[in-house]
């Protein structure tokens, strides 16, 4: 080995050592920096809770107190620590940079001294079999698939529907959260998801005619009368009907209207032998049943409450006591998250119950000082939990869905309270004939934002949508007012009165009058009628929406309306 | 006069307290003079010109070093200088990579005018690429430089992998433009791994990811440039049609194959004369890929549309709208954003409108992006149908960063320099 | 070649990191890893007022058809007056608009003497309107800098608080200038009015002049001649004190000598007894807009408190509970 | 140079390349020139180089506002925050890429009430009006309080200590005249292409200003 080689060797060694040293140094600096960083981040010196606490005690303490002295010291330390760490970052970074430069240069130098001779590979050309690029193409194609997958991932991980309810960007969409995974064709109870009268992704027809059958997919007789509305679940429609003799639950097939099964609510312990007197325009089956996708729940004027599975087999049943109610029990059920909410107001004083949907056991129960009322509970989600809100006489009350504790209550109603509240953009709207219509800002204490005393609903429940409140009265007046201010945007007189509640679907309001004629108009601040669709018979039930379909209950028949 | 002022004051005050307003200062008895609010001017007003000058000089010099003098050492030296100046001294902003976004924004937002410096930084490297290839990448770009400096033990990425990953820059480019067009912020700047180093400090996540890139960079040469840099896409196109381009051999290629493993970026296209595979079935395959092209594009358009909508939260209005919706509904605690919005008094409906527009924009943009990617992929497949006949070793114009590492490998180079031996001898280096 | 595989894996990991990071970026509050609420000054906690603490109930208020209502005063007969946008509006007991009188220029304050004569303070002068007539008498200007922010009158005197000159003008009912109160004056024990912001209110009751000195967060009592007799009030965020650097912004007097005060910053309305001892809250901050200012006050003949809420352009009425 | 005598179809490829190159150059030239020429828009007699946002005559400019406005401005654009929009969320202190934020508190003394009890300086529950640590609102004690004459005190900001958290600003805005406010100090600001504070500003208070008037000062 000759001289030049030896010199080379020495140079090489030197460079390697230098690289090693600087590399080690670099690592140490980085380590120290990281340590400082983590410490600083764990407790922002100027923002530490310790500081805050000791400050409070210092302020409480009298002047010249030891505590104050202590605090001042800590305070000073904290500030020192803050600016100290800044200094550390600065100097550390510079050191690291220098070390890095030295390391890179030294390493490259020694590498340069030890170049392997170029080793030409096998001659690519000769004897390269078949297509040398096939694998490459597969890789590219594979990467393309990866891209598609990434797009899919983005869609899945970022699409609103995965987030809680309205975070979905649909401003007022309580149902989103409620329905979760619920299939397109599901209408869980009176006035739909959460009982708020909004059919979220429904896209029903606007025109139909029960007489000449236009857009009517099928029509099916209902054995016994009842004012309850249809609910939909897994391709089945459920109804209740009844008279003084028997009260029944009906199940229809959604595709052809065939009556799949009927199940009587009979033989329930505590059920009265002699059913209570009820008014003709309430009947024994005025309360709309509810479903949670597994079972169907129905309550009758006798106080009988039954839970059936979708095949009609009774899961449980109980009698809540015979309602002492001038017209007859009419408050609909509401099922959500394993609980069945029942309002049970009568002269004996009201009760609010949450029952275990699986067993019927009471999860919680609240006494209500109220006179008989016929409004149905609605769900308001958020405020740190779900609340069950009920209009009553005289209070509107919100119960905590989990514990049943009274979240807030506010006195704003009177008389015979039948309409259920509406909800939009953080405001709740409760009204009743002969008292008032109030916009309530929930919270403790709840606050009345505005109140109005004319065009009050008697039976029909108002609905609120995108800053507009729609109220239908029993004498045929429909008003649209601004939810925030209450000022009336438009007012329209119809010849017929309304018992059925207005429903919002696909930015339109569907409102059926007592003759069974549905008025479809835009859910906008100017009145724009889109269609007038007769059912061909009187009707007071509220329509149920599922996907492209509407299920309407007339006095005698159940209709399925769909695009044809 | 003063009264007029006062009147305004009162009214201003009564209308919106906290709005900009003047109050009469107390009538001091002591001779007290109001201190003036000091307003230091922006730094480097002059730098605009210096930067431009340096850029032009550097690009010119780089071109000469790469094509004229053919000196790797020179290029490396220039590279270090630019790293020091554009990188550590000028803190890595302005860079042409980010400038893509400014230019795009200036095209769609009437109230935004791209500063001249930025425009120049965006255009000049492209012009030079059209004339002399990617000399900007070779010696001027600080991001490239910092990576090139840490290329310690480069290993060759298998061609298949390289080809696949080289689709990534197209994605980044497309996404960046999509976001800018829809007010989603500057993606490229957020994903710039080195700017934190240049500033000697910054968000932890930036520093860490930057460090990782550099670590990888020791074995996979210039990973950011090859597999991420969106500006590289544009430069690649320009370089494809460049007037002149760096060549491996100073004069004639003798197909000695000594340069085969010279390029750590896999940018050397080997000669394939007499390669039977070169021509066999190329036409057929190409035709087949050409036929599937529309299908590929269609698929990507669909995927792009969906992904576009999903990306819309990148826009602050969309986020705000969701936040407010969640709050109205009680599903979320009030956030600063929504409080500010409510205080601002813009009608909610306006925001909703805005959001609808933005989301539409995202969907449309996403579809376009999808179409673009589909096209890129399809064309790449077509190009990979087979290799066209090549009689000599030449740089892949789109990929070659004109770093000049290959010079030393070419025996002709040595012959040319000093009629010496054709075999590379020891003191040649391949990594500086 | 072997070394490449781990490198590639690393690369992909990095790519993942980028994606996550991008999501975080789009998610908004990238706070460089710090606690999101580091360095937040939370005054919200002072805004909450439990209903129980309120001594008064809010009755249905009534809106005022003025773009910028500025001043309010109670008239002798259940009615009340509101000024703003160069107009004087008389409302009847039910808040229905009864009369509307045009003024020369925007008025900031209004008062009504016992007899029913109404004085409005415009920028630099006083305008007088007598009921039953439509003509308004505009008195002479009080000087270039004058900016009247409050006015109060009895049978013989009219007092106007001038924010621009930091003095209180005293005139007779004919508009003759009787004197000025204010300015540093050791003799009278007055150390001048400290007015950091344009809120300078006064009220008179049986020959005593009550003036707000916001810079000292107190209410001062003067004789009509301008001699300071007493003062009360201290600064505190708690209800019993006046919040911020310069409060109260407005006061009004009950017939029995109790005070009503309103504040800005934490908009709240409170009652103090004749000695300046805190009695209780009328309305808490969370009942007003966050930046509600200029809550002018009046006490009507029925002992109800009238609060002018410029933000909502309405008069809000509060009556004692029970 | 590209053309090799023994190349397959050198002339054709060369020709195409040349065409493409010239097309590209032409495009760049055309687009660039067009953008630059946009600056020739005259607004009320002077060359318009303001950006529409704060151009008073934006709608009044007879040139159909937006499309004719400059796309390229000679001036650099710098970040600044609008005190009128700022809600003092405290993020300026934590979101700047600099270890110590470039956003600092500014004080327009002309608006200051020189209050003895300054709510920008003192904690709301301050025990006494002294400069003791427990009474100060500023986490770094960056505000200096100097007695002038009864009852007036002068307040000045120490820029080395100020971290731009805006606590004092909130205090002053809520209770006082709002003479304290946040601004980006341009001797510190790196003028990132995308300001990371702007990105996270809840009030969207950040805007780009032309470098020749880089501040939004109150009371002027």
């Amino acid at each position: 080995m000759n001289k030049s080689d030896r010199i080379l060797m020495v140079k090489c060694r030197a460079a390697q050592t230098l690289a090693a040293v600087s590399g080690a140094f670099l690592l140490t600096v980085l380590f120290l920096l990281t340590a400082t960083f983590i410490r600083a981040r764990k407790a922002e010196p100027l923002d530490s809770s310790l500081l805050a606490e000791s400050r409070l005690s210092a302020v409480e303490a009298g002047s010249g107190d030891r505590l104050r002295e202590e605090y001042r010291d800590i305070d000073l330390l904290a500030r020192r620590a803050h600016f100290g760490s800044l200094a550390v970052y600065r100097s550390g970074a510079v050191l690291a940079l220098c070390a890095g430069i030295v390391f890179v240069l030294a390493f490259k130098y020694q590498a340069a001294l030890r170049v392997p001779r170029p080793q030409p590979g096998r001659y690519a050309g000769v004897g390269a079999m078949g297509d040398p690029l096939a694998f490459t193409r597969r890789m590219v194609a594979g990467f393309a698939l990866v891209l598609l997958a990434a797009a899919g991932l983005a869609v899945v991980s970022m699409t609103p529907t995965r987030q809680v309810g309205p975070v979905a960007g649909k401003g007022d969409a309580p149902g989103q959260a409620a329905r979760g995974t619920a299939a397109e064709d599901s209408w869980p109870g009176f006035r739909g998801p959460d009982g708020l009268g909004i059919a979220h992704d429904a896209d029903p027809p606007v025109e139909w005619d029960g007489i000449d059958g236009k857009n009517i997919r099928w029509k099916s007789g209902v054995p016994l009368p009842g004012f309850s509305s249809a609910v939909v679940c897994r391709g089945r429609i459920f109804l209740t009907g009844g008279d003084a003799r028997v009260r029944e639950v009906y199940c229809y097939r959604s595709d052809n209207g065939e009556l799949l099964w009927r199940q009587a609510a009979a033989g329930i312990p505590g059920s009265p032998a002699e059913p209570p007197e009820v008014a003709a325009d309430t009947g024994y089956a005025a309360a709309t049943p509810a479903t949670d996708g597994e079972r169907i729940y129905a309550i009758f004027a006798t106080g009988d409450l039954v839970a059936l599975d979708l095949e009609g087999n009774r899961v449980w049943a109980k009698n809540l006591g015979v309602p002492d109610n001038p017209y007859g029990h009419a408050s609909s059920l509401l099922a959500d998250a394993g609980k069945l909410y029942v309002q049970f107001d009568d002269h004996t004083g009201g009760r609010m119950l949450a029952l275990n949907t699986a067993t019927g056991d009471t999860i919680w129960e609240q006494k209500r000082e109220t006179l008989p009322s016929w409004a149905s509970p609605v769900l308001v989600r958020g405020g740190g939990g779900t609340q069950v809100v009920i209009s009553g006489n005289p209070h509107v009350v919100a119960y905590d869905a989990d514990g049943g504790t009274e979240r807030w209550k506010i006195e704003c109603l009177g008389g015979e309270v039948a309409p259920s509240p509406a909800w939009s953009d953080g405001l709740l709207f409760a009204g009743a004939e002969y008292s008032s219509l109030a916009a309530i800002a929930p919270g403790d204490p709840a606050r009345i934002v505005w109140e109005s005393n004319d065009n009050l609903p008697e039976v029909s429940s108002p609905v609120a949508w995108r800053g507009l409140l729609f109220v239908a009265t029993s004498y045929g007046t429909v008003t649209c007012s601004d939810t925030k201010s209450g000022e009336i945007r438009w007012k329209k007189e119809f010849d017929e009165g309304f018992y059925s509640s207005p429903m919002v679907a696909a930015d339109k309001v569907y409102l059926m009058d007592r003759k069974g004629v549905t008025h479809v108009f835009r859910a906008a601040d100017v009145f724009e009628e889109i269609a007038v669709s007769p059912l061909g018979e009187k009707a007071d039930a509220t329509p149920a929406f599922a996907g492209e379909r509407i299920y309407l209950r007339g006095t005698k028949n159940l209709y399925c309306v769909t695009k044809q | 006069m003063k009264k007029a002022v006062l009147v305004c004051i009162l009214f201003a005050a009564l209308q919106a307290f906290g709005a900009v307003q003047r109050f009469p200062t107390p009538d001091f008895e002591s001779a007290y003079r109001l201190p003036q609010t000091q307003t230091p001017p922006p730094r480097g007003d002059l730098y605009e010109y210096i930067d431009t000058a340096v850029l032009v000089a550097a690009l010119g010099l780089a071109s000469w070093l790469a094509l004229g003098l053919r000196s790797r050492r020179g290029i490396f030296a220039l590279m270090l200088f630019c790293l020091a100046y554009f990188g550590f001294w000028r803190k890595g902003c302005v860079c042409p990579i980010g400038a893509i976004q400014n230019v795009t924004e200036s095209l769609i937002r009437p109230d935004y005018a791209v500063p001249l410096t930025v425009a120049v930084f965006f255009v000049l490297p492209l012009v030079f690429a059209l004339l002399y290839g990617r000399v900007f990448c070779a010696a001027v770009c600080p991001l490239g430089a910092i990576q090139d400096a840490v290329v310690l033990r480069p290993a060759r990425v298998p061609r298949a992998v390289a080809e696949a990953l080289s689709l990534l820059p197209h994605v980044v480019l497309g996404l960046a433009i999509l976001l800018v067009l829809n007010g989603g912020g500057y993606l490229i700047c957020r994903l710039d791994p080195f700017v934190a180093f240049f500033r000697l400090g910054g968000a932890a996540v930036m520093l860490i990811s930057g460090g990782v890139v550099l670590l990888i960079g020791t074995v996979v040469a210039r990973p950011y440039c090859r597999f991420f840099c969106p500006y590289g896409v544009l430069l690649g196109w320009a370089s494809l049609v460049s007037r002149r381009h760096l060549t491996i051999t100073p004069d004639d290629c003798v197909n000695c194959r000594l340069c085969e493993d010279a390029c750590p970026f896999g940018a050397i296209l080997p000669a394939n004369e007499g390669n039977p595979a070169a021509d066999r079935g190329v036409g057929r395959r190409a035709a087949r890929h050409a036929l599937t092209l529309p299908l590929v594009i269609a698929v990507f358009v669909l995927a792009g549309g969906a992904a576009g909508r999903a990306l819309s939260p990148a826009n602050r209005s969309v986020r705000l709208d969701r936040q407010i919706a969640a709050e109205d509904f009680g599903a979320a605690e009030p956030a600063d954003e929504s409080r500010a919005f409510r205080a601002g008094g813009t009608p909610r409906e306006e925001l909703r409108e805005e959001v609808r527009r933005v989301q539409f924009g995202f969907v449309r943009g996403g579809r376009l992006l999808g179409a673009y990617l589909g096209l890129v992929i399809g064309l790449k497949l077509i190009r990979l149908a087979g290799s066209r006949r090549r009689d000599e070793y030449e740089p892949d114009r789109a990929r070659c960063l004109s770093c000049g590492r290959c010079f030393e490998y070419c025996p002709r180079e040595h012959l040319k320099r000093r009629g010496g031996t054709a075999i590379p001898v020891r003191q040649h280096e391949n990594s500086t | 070649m072997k070394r490449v595989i781990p490198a590639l894996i690393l690369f992909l990991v990095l790519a993942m990191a980028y994606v996550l990071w991008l999501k975080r970026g789009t998610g908004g509050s990238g706070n460089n890893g710090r606690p999101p609420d580091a360095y937040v000054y939370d005054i919200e906690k002072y805004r909450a007022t439990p209903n129980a603490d309120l001594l008064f109930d809010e009755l249905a208020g009534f809106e005022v058809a003025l773009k910028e209502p500025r001043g309010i005063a109670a008239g002798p007969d259940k009615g009340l007056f509101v000024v703003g946008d160069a107009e004087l509006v008389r409302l009847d007991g039910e808040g229905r608009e009864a009369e509307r009188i045009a003024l020369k220029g925007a008025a900031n304050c209004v008062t009504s003497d016992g007899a029913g004569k109404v004085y409005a303070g415009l920028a630099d002068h006083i305008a007088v309107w007598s009921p039953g007539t439509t003509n308004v008498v505009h008195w002479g200007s009080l000087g270039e800098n004058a900016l009247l922010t409050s006015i109060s009158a009895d049978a013989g005197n009219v007092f106007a608080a001038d924010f621009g000159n930091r003095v209180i003008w005293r005139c007779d009912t004919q508009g003759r200038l009787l004197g000025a109160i204010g300015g540093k004056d050791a003799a009278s024990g007055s150390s001048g009015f400290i007015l950091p912001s344009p809120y300078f209110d006064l009220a008179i009751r049986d020959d005593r002049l009550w003036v707000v000195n916001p810079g000292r967060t107190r209410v001062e009592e003067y004789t009509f001649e301008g001699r300071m007799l007493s003062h009360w009030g201290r600064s505190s965020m708690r209800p019993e004190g006046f919040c911020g650097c310069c409060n109260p912004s407005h006061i009004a007097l009950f017939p029995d000598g109790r005070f009503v005060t309103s504040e800005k910053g934490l908009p709240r309305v409170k009652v103090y007894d004749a000695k300046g001892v805190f009695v209780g809250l009328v309305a808490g901050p969370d009942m007003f807009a966050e930046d509600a200012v200029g809550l002018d006050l009046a006490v009507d003949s029925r002992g109800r408190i009238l609060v002018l809420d410029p933000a909502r352009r309405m008069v809000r009425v509060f009556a004692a509970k029970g | 140079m590209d053309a090799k005598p023994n190349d397959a179809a050198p002339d054709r490829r060369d020709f195409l390349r040349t065409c493409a190159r010239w097309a590209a150059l032409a495009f760049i030239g055309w687009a660039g020139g067009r953008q630059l020429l946009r600056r020739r828009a005259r607004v009320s007699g002077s060359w318009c180089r303001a950006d529409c946002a704060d151009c008073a005559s934006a709608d009044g400019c007879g040139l159909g506002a937006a499309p004719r406005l400059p796309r390229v401005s000679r001036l650099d654009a710098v970040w600044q925050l609008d005190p009128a929009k700022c809600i003092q969320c405290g993020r300026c202190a934590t979101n700047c890429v600099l270890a110590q934020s470039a956003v600092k508190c500014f004080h327009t003394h002309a608006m200051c009430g020189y209050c003895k009890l300054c709510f920008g300086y003192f904690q709301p529950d301050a025990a006494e009006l002294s400069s003791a640590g427990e009474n100060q609102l500023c986490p770094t004690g960056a505000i200096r309080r100097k007695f002038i004459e009864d009852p007036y005190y002068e307040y000045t900001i120490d820029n080395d200590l100020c971290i731009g958290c805006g606590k004092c600003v909130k205090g002053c805005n809520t209770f006082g005249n709002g003479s304290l406010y946040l601004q980006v100090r341009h001797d510190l600001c790196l003028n990132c292409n995308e300001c990371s504070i702007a990105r996270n500003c809840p009030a969207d208070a950040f805007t780009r200003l032309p470098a020749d008037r880089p501040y939004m000062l109150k009371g002027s």
Side-chain angles (χ1 to χ4, degrees), chain C residues 4 29 65 116 143:
Chain C
V4 173
S29 64

Side-chain angles (χ1 to χ4, degrees), chain B residues 187-269:
Chain B
L187 180 68
I188 299 173
C189 297
R190 283 177 215 179
L191 300 190
D192 177 344
F194 305 120
V195 69
F197 290 140
F198 296 150
R199 295 184 189 128
L200 298 182
V205 60
M206 275 187 142
L207 285 159
I208 294 165
S209 52
V212 177
V213 177
L214 285 188
L215 273 183
I216 297 175
T218 56
V219 284
V220 179
R222 288 199 177 200
Y224 182 87
C225 302
R226 291 157 73 191
F227 306 132
F228 208 86
C229 178
Y231 193 61
V233 174
L234 306 182
L235 288 173
W237 290 338
S239 171
L240 260 183
V241 299
S242 61
R243 179 155 176 285
R244 294 181 58 212
H245 192 285
L246 166 144
T247 53
I248 301 170
T249 171
D251 38 33
D252 284 338
C253 176
V254 294
N255 286 344
C256 63
R257 293 164 35 221
L258 286 173
C259 61
E260 261 176 359
D261 55 4
C263 184
F265 314 119
I268 294 182
L269 299 171

Side-chain angles (χ1 to χ4, degrees), chain B residues 369-391:
Chain B
L369 171 56
Y372 168 68
L373 289 180
L375 189 66
V376 169
I377 290 166
L379 290 182
K380 190 178 271 295
L381 285 174
I382 294 175
R383 224 189 63 242
L384 288 173
S387 49
R388 79 173 157 80
R389 185 150 173 288
R390 230 177 280 100
D391 302 323

Side-chain angles (χ1 to χ4, degrees), chain C residues 170-234:
Chain C
R170 179 185 179 191
C171 315
D172 66 13
T173 53
Q174 301 315 309
R176 278 186 295 275
L177 203 55
L178 299 182
I181 304 170
K184 284 200 174 187
D185 175 8
S188 70
S190 149
S191 56
F193 300 114
I194 296 148
L195 312 169
S197 49
Y199 300 101
F200 186 23
D201 199 1
L202 58 71
I204 58 178
R205 202 179 128 269
D206 39 40
D207 298 349
R208 286 288 174 267
L209 173 65
W210 295 92
V211 185
V212 173
N213 195 348
R216 296 194 182 280
T217 59
R218 70 190 191 190
V219 177
E220 299 172 341
E221 175 187 23
Y222 291 83
T223 61
F224 281 4
E225 291 64 39
R227 191 159 49 80
M228 175 150 65
L229 300 174
S230 71
H231 60 76
W232 60 269
R234 58 186 191 76

Side-chain angles (χ1 to χ4, degrees), chain A residues 1-346:
Chain A
M1 138 168 206
N2 61 28
K3 191 154 173 294
S4 66
D5 285 348
R6 226 175 291 111
I7 296 174
L8 215 52
M9 186 94 58
V10 176
K11 279 186 182 170
C12 193
R13 284 281 155 69
Q16 282 168 338
T17 336
L18 186 56
V21 173
S22 53
F25 183 70
L26 176 60
L27 288 179
T28 342
V29 174
L30 289 181
F31 173 76
L32 291 176
L33 274 178
T34 329
T36 328
F37 175 80
I38 292 172
R39 225 186 37 247
R41 280 290 170 282
K42 203 178 292 154
E44 185 70 44
L46 300 179
D47 191 53
S48 67
S49 51
L50 165 70
L51 206 57
E53 286 157 14
S54 78
R55 180 182 172 275
L56 280 184
S57 47
V59 172
E60 259 111 59
S63 61
D65 186 288
R66 187 179 44 75
L67 278 171
R68 291 203 176 170
E69 296 310 320
E70 267 176 18
Y71 170 76
R72 289 168 193 169
D73 298 343
I74 304 173
D75 185 39
L76 194 60
L77 276 178
R79 296 178 188 182
R80 285 237 181 81
H82 176 80
F83 290 104
S85 61
L86 293 191
V88 171
Y89 294 144
R90 267 195 301 278
S91 44
V94 175
L95 279 179
L97 179 62
C98 301
I101 294 173
V102 176
F103 173 73
V104 166
L105 290 181
F107 195 98
K108 276 183 171 297
Y109 181 72
Q110 61 90 27
L113 293 175
R114 318 182 8 267
V115 196
R117 302 188 171 207
Q119 303 298 338
R122 229 174 7 83
Y123 185 49
V126 175
M129 297 318 290
D131 170 10
L133 294 176
F135 180 60
T136 309
R137 280 200 299 276
R138 277 202 292 283
M139 274 302 263
V140 172
F143 191 84
L145 292 181
V146 172
L147 281 185
L148 286 178
L153 194 71
V155 175
V156 174
S157 68
M158 286 183 167
T159 16
T161 52
R162 286 292 296 264
Q163 308 172 5
V164 188
V167 187
K170 287 193 181 170
D172 22 33
Q176 292 288 325
R179 273 142 71 252
T181 61
E184 266 297 293
D185 72 331
S186 142
W187 193 251
F190 181 58
R191 300 173 68 220
D194 295 0
L196 293 170
I198 293 160
H200 290 291
D201 25 32
D203 178 24
V206 295
E207 277 188 311
W208 61 86
D209 188 330
I211 300 139
D212 66 15
K214 177 181 180 202
N215 276 347
I216 301 285
R217 187 185 174 92
W218 50 259
K219 161 178 176 179
S220 185
V222 184
L224 288 176
F227 292 98
S228 61
S229 313
V231 304
V232 186
C233 168
R234 303 211 192 143
R236 291 146 187 251
I237 300 100
F238 301 94
L239 282 181
T240 61
D243 54 22
R245 294 176 298 103
V246 59
R247 274 74 51 191
E248 293 180 315
V249 180
Y250 306 112
C251 171
Y252 295 82
R253 273 179 67 133
S254 63
D255 46 10
N256 58 9
E258 169 197 351
L259 178 57
L260 280 174
W261 50 260
R262 55 194 291 181
Q263 180 62 258
I268 299 165
S271 180
E274 194 52 40
E277 281 300 309
V278 298
D281 62 0
T282 304
Y284 290 91
T288 303
T291 173
D292 55 9
E294 294 173 35
R295 287 168 291 271
I296 168 90
Y297 313 93
I299 189 168
F300 299 95
T302 52
D304 293 333
L305 175 60
V306 293
L308 314 169
D309 68 18
L310 300 187
E311 304 311 319
N313 312 312
R314 181 177 294 183
V315 182
W316 54 265
K318 69 202 294 186
N319 182 287
L320 300 173
V322 183
D324 171 8
N325 189 316
Y327 299 102
H329 184 79
S331 172
S332 302
L333 300 171
L334 178 64
D336 176 66
K339 292 196 207 62
L340 179 67
Y341 301 104
V342 189
Q343 176 263 55
F344 207 73
D345 294 351
D346 66 1

